[in-house]
Amino acid sequence: MECPHLGSSVCIAPDSAKFPQGSPSSWCCSVCRSNKSPWVCLTCSSVHCGRYVNGHAKKHYEDAQIPMTNHKKTEKQEKVQHTVCMDCSSYSTYCYRCDDFVVNDTKLGLVQKVREHLQNLENSAFTSDRHRKRKLLENSSLNSKLLKVNGSTTALCATGLRNLGNTCFMNAILQSLSNIQQFCCYFKELPAVELRNGKTAGRRTYHTRSQGDNNVSLVEEFRKTLCALWQGSQTAFSPESLFYVVWKIMPNFRGYQQQDAHEFMRYLLDHLHLELQGGFNGVSRSVILQESSNLSASNKCCINGASTVVTAIFGGILQNEVNCLICGTESRKFDPFLDLSLDIPSQFRNKRTKNQESGPMCTLRDCLRSFTDLEELDETELYMCHKCKKKQKSTKKFWIQKLPKVLCLHLKRFHWTAYLRNKVDTYVEFPLRGLDMKCYLLEPENSGPESCLYDLVAVVVHHGSGVGSGHYTAYAAHEGRWFHFNDSTVTLTDEETVGKAKAYILFYVERQAKPGAEKL
């Protein structure tokens, strides 16, 4: 958004000595001393916490707008306003009067100068911290962060993702996908391609929407992001290059407002699939298709063209049966899918008060059963019967004709009522191991003993009440341990905590059949 208030609000010198010591990303709020989500006022250089902590940055702006009593404002007070601030981690700029993120600058380019100064401070602090850690590592055999698990010291190599301005929806999906081993390894093993040439080659730039570079590759930036995770070389990685490409090729996600994580995941997978078919990453189309065919040589699921790693891993096939209730004519159609969107049955949606007896708990099996059970279509969904030659009442039923290697289940927590999109906050119980999908298969007798069993690998959770607000985090399993990914913060957790989460998106990985378990 083009902000008209920069001239009256950006007043600090880019090399201001008023800035706190240390790296900007770890500066503390001057009110509550929290070092989570620090924002610096571009009028007075004071540092306060963001709205998802204690909201002191917004309060600082509001306090400055209180009208003076008993005497008129001075000319200086009318001019200077504390309306614009900068995120000390992502360096994005926000105006509280516009209530939006800012993409323009002052005539003298002060915003970019402050941004570059903060980046220099961060790099200097990072360099000194790296030297300090190097000295510590000289006396240690470990080269990553340390944790104590069951009394013994172990290495924690997980890396968080910085929030670039309400980008938690993207971070939660990226962390979940990074822990799907077969999918992640494919991209990490792709050859790198450098898109920038000449003076800008290898240089890390701060991307804005105004840049006109069309030479972008979603596959390449996705690959770089996955390679940066699970290395333990930094506390948090900033995915601004990937987010810039998302802005370029997915207009729906431009801006810094909160987005729906499931919608982003679908757009991301669809665009990765399309780009891989075209061979945009410096890899020929034939090589990509050959590798994808190796992943699913026996059972492909093609969506929008040839098979890629996206459809080989996430692709399944549904059989949609529709029966005319007047003449009994049956219509069958096969639909490929990358995920299944499941309703939470209406009987579990009502919130119960303390005085009411708690009813039955909603389970994932209830949601799957609701999705696959025989359903009579209502008057707005009349089926065009080819035998009757007109729209008739009918029934519909889904069968799963082919299960994917990774089963992605989306719980439909947001629904429209009148003019509002409300959230269904019902807890849905889900298994961490042994999700059996055999009873939903069209031909279960043709499946192996363990080919229908799935184990949980990642969970995306939405915290808050609305789709356009709140916060996303993710739980994911890596080498037998569960981690909680909350943007820059990564913590070790346990299965009990994961099982209590109000899941929004669940990722299940097909259990590998044990050697010798094949039918004789």
Side-chain angles (χ1 to χ4, degrees), residues 175-441:
Q175 294 287 14
S176 298
L177 295 178
S178 76
N179 287 282
I180 299 173
Q181 195 68 19
Q182 197 174 11
F183 183 72
C184 178
C185 287
Y186 174 88
F187 286 93
K188 288 164 71 173
E189 291 170 2
L190 282 176
V193 57
E194 185 56 62
L195 296 174
R196 293 191 291 264
N197 300 310
K199 294 180 179 179
T200 60
R203 184 184 302 172
R204 193 172 175 186
T205 61
Y206 182 86
H207 293 296
T208 65
R209 193 171 11 178
S210 61
Q211 286 182 281
D213 180 18
N214 291 315
N215 187 21
V216 296
S217 168
L218 180 65
V219 170
E220 171 63 8
E221 295 305 333
F222 185 67
R223 183 195 68 81
K224 288 179 181 177
T225 302
L226 293 182
C227 288
L229 301 176
W230 293 107
Q231 291 184 350
S233 58
Q234 50 193 333
T235 55
F237 174 75
S238 184
E240 71 264 21
S241 294
L242 175 61
F243 194 41
Y244 166 67
V245 174
V246 168
W247 275 24
K248 294 289 287 185
I249 65 177
M250 304 181 200
N252 290 15
F253 298 96
R254 288 178 184 170
Y256 293 95
Q257 66 271 25
Q258 184 65 277
Q259 301 281 0
D260 181 68
H262 174 252
E263 185 180 1
F264 172 75
M265 182 197 73
R266 286 305 312 268
Y267 270 87
L268 177 68
L269 293 178
D270 286 344
H271 279 276
L272 287 172
H273 172 64
L274 292 173
E275 190 172 312
L276 284 170
Q277 288 184 85
F280 282 97
N281 196 40
V283 186
S284 69
R285 176 177 177 138
S286 60
V287 172
I288 290 173
L289 297 184
Q290 177 62 37
E291 291 190 20
S292 295
S293 64
N294 291 339
L295 284 167
S296 58
S298 61
N299 213 351
K300 293 182 181 179
C301 173
C302 298
I303 299 174
N304 296 328
S307 175
T308 68
V309 67
V310 175
T311 53
I313 298 294
F314 292 95
I317 300 176
L318 283 175
Q319 178 175 292
N320 183 1
E321 294 181 355
V322 179
N323 282 275
C324 176
L325 290 176
I326 305 302
C327 69
T329 299
E330 182 181 87
S331 172
R332 294 182 182 179
K333 187 173 72 170
F334 292 97
D335 298 315
F337 67 87
L338 295 178
D339 70 310
L340 297 178
S341 290
L342 310 177
D343 280 307
I344 297 175
S346 56
Q347 65 266 30
F348 299 108
R349 293 185 186 180
N350 297 328
K351 292 184 178 179
R352 297 178 178 273
T353 63
K354 293 182 179 178
N355 297 329
Q356 289 178 302
E357 293 184 7
S358 58
M361 181 180 293
C362 182
T363 67
L364 186 59
R365 185 169 289 276
D366 292 320
C367 301
L368 285 165
R369 189 180 298 116
S370 175
F371 178 78
T372 56
D373 274 355
L374 188 69
E375 171 192 5
E376 184 172 338
L377 301 177
D378 58 32
E379 296 291 336
T380 62
E381 299 178 294
L382 293 178
Y383 164 66
M384 183 65 184
C385 179
H386 299 292
K387 187 174 182 180
C388 299
K389 304 297 183 183
K390 63 178 181 178
K391 290 185 176 182
Q392 301 283 29
K393 284 189 174 183
S394 57
T395 60
K396 179 182 72 174
K397 180 172 176 58
F398 283 120
W399 292 98
I400 299 177
Q401 198 264 344
K402 172 193 173 291
L403 283 166
K405 294 180 182 297
V406 174
L407 178 64
C408 179
L409 300 176
H410 161 236
L411 298 179
K412 293 158 76 170
R413 290 195 173 274
F414 301 105
H415 64 102
W416 288 99
T417 56
Y419 302 103
L420 297 175
R421 198 178 184 191
N422 294 332
K423 180 181 178 182
V424 180
D425 206 37
T426 304
Y427 170 72
V428 177
E429 185 181 44
F430 54 90
L432 271 68
R433 296 183 189 85
L435 173 65
D436 192 350
M437 297 294 294
K438 181 173 287 189
C439 59
Y440 311 109
L441 275 179

Side-chain angles (χ1 to χ4, degrees), residues 47-78:
V47 178
H48 296 90
C49 60
R51 64 180 69 196
Y52 292 117
V53 186
N54 292 314
H56 287 126
K58 186 178 181 182
K59 190 174 188 305
H60 173 70
Y61 153 72
E62 292 171 343
D63 291 345
Q65 310 312 307
I66 297 176
M68 303 288 289
T69 56
N70 302 327
H71 59 86
K72 294 182 180 180
K73 290 183 180 180
T74 65
E75 184 179 347
K76 186 176 181 182
Q77 286 172 326
E78 287 182 354

